[in-house]
Amino acid sequence: MPSKRFLLKKLMHQPSARTRILKERLTEPLHLNAAALVVAAFGSFRAKVAWDLMMRPHYAYGLLEAADQAREAGLDSFTAIEFGVAAGEGLLNLCKLADEVRAETGIKVRIAGFDAGQGMPPPVDWRDHPETFSAGDFPMDVDGLKARLPSNCRLIIGPVSETVPEFLANELNASAPIGFVAFDLDYYSSTKQALAIFDDVDAAKYLFLPVLYFDDIVLPNYSSWAGELLAIDEFNQEHAMRKIQQYRFLRSRRIFKNARWIDQIFLLHLFDHPRLTVPHQRRHMQNVYLNQLNPS
Ligand SMILES: C[S@@+](CC[C@H](N)C(=O)[O-])C[C@H]1O[C@@H](n2cnc3c(N)ncnc32)[C@H](O)[C@@H]1O
């Protein structure tokens, strides 16, 4: 089981991840942790996602949600994107999870990873958090990573200010609309450029409610006046018919409530999506009291 080996390696070698995961899990009820062990041993992929038993549970959650939406829309595939690839651990993890999502749902996932390929560009100004990141951070072995990628994954190298418009113009189409996007470009300036991925005039190139994950919103020095959160605010100001908002009440839908990633999941609301114009069957409401009084 490579993913179990990988999880153990991560827990051994990344003290901050280990402390966080232990804190999150050990503060959950004992009976849920006991039940999770049973799910880990015998559960389906879907059950393991529900019980946060995957590496990068946020990627697993986003992919599975998008696959369910794609199936409901009568599609057989969707596109998932990682912005910011670096050494490629996240992208390879996304590819592996996409295989499992396909086995579970029958929906194929087209994957694109975007990166400059030479480490971080220089920060533009204070809004890029130069106290945390600087030019050249996160160098990558582009050829080595490309050699490891499966055929459904493309690594797109270059500044996102150039590669995103090219991707929209030449690659994205409505047969595999965007369903899940992970943003991990660290900077305000880069995230603002990457959010142009939601600018295509044809709303059918997106699922009805794409799931978004924002990595760089968790440190105490992050705020709405810099970094990813500022890029989101500006996107919302600049787009009348498309808005990004944190997934309100996701916590109430999850079994384990303390997982940090829950607060990092956002949704793209497309008020110009063709789904809004599809007529649907008239809806009815039950009234159990009336049914009790007048049993038919
Ligand atoms: C933190 S790393 C990504 C880590 C990766 N998501 C993971 O989990 O393994 C951030 C990456 O964003 C890339 N990046 C930042 N700004 C960029 C830009 N304007 N265009 C393309 N790539 C950029 C950097 O090259 C860097 O590799």
Side-chain angles (χ1 to χ4, degrees):
M1 295 292 284
S3 67
K4 276 191 196 140
R5 265 209 317 274
F6 183 71
L7 180 60
L8 283 175
K9 206 168 145 192
K10 199 165 176 94
L11 289 178
M12 301 237 324
H13 296 290
Q14 291 190 5
S16 59
R18 184 174 60 219
T19 311
R20 179 170 52 78
I21 292 168
L22 286 179
K23 259 194 207 157
E24 284 174 6
R25 271 304 161 98
L26 294 180
T27 51
E28 298 282 7
L30 191 59
H31 69 281
L32 292 182
N33 275 307
L37 291 176
V38 179
V39 177
F42 305 110
S44 63
F45 174 75
R46 191 176 286 278
K48 287 178 182 162
V49 174
W51 287 79
D52 278 7
L53 290 164
M54 313 306 299
M55 274 302 302
R56 282 191 175 72
H58 42 292
Y59 280 15
Y61 168 81
L63 286 176
L64 191 56
E65 276 288 315
D68 287 343
Q69 269 191 52
R71 195 164 56 176
E72 207 183 305
L75 295 159
D76 69 359
S77 55
F78 73 94
T79 296
I81 293 174
E82 186 187 60
F83 279 112
V85 174
E89 195 176 284
L91 191 62
L92 288 172
N93 198 219
L94 193 65
C95 295
K96 183 177 178 304
L97 288 165
D99 282 349
E100 297 185 72
V101 164
R102 184 178 183 178
E104 175 75 32
T105 63
I107 301 294
K108 289 176 276 191
V109 189
R110 280 194 211 162
I111 300 169
F114 288 80
D115 203 286
Q118 304 160 342
M120 295 291 288
V124 174
D125 59 28
W126 56 272
R127 292 172 294 180
D128 284 344
H129 284 294
E131 77 281 20
T132 309
F133 307 107
S134 48
D137 282 356
F138 315 121
M140 67 189 287
D141 170 8
V142 173
D143 293 335
L145 180 58
K146 273 189 177 162
R148 293 283 311 276
L149 295 175
S151 60
N152 61 329
C153 179
R154 277 239 303 127
L155 184 57
I156 300 175
I157 296 296
V160 289
S161 56
E162 292 169 17
T163 53
V164 166
E166 281 163 18
F167 182 80
L168 287 185
N170 305 323
E171 295 194 36
L172 183 63
N173 60 64
S175 64
I178 291 177
F180 174 62
V181 186
F183 291 87
D184 190 10
L185 294 164
D186 300 333
Y187 287 163
Y188 153 76
S189 58
S190 303
T191 307
K192 182 156 173 106
Q193 290 156 5
L195 284 171
I197 198 74
F198 302 134
D199 280 356
D200 200 291
V201 287
D202 182 2
K205 290 186 183 173
Y206 308 94
L207 289 182
F208 177 58
L209 205 52
V211 178
L212 318 181
Y213 166 79
F214 287 91
D215 195 68
D216 302 294
I217 60 173
V218 294
L219 297 180
N221 56 326
Y222 293 155
S223 72
S224 296
W225 296 273
E228 290 183 341
L229 290 171
L230 176 62
I232 295 169
D233 273 4
E234 290 186 357
F235 177 92
N236 287 335
Q237 282 163 26
E238 289 161 12
H239 294 77
M241 298 300 281
R242 296 183 187 176
K243 303 283 181 190
I244 295 170
Q245 189 174 45
Q246 198 171 28
Y247 186 164
R248 297 157 66 246
F249 300 106
L250 175 58
R251 174 162 286 104
S252 69
R253 293 164 192 258
R254 299 297 302 170
I255 297 168
F256 288 115
K257 314 286 186 197
N258 296 343
R260 186 175 77 182
W261 67 265
I262 293 174
D263 292 328
Q264 294 172 272
I265 297 292
F266 288 60
L267 297 170
L268 173 67
H269 300 268
L270 295 125
F271 303 119
D272 56 344
H273 198 275
R275 163 94 184 267
L276 270 79
T277 60
V278 176
H280 52 260
Q281 278 192 333
R282 180 171 296 162
R283 302 175 61 177
H284 295 270
M285 292 195 98
Q286 289 280 332
N287 184 332
V288 288
Y289 303 105
L290 286 181
N291 291 349
Q292 268 174 11
L293 293 173
N294 308 306
S296 54

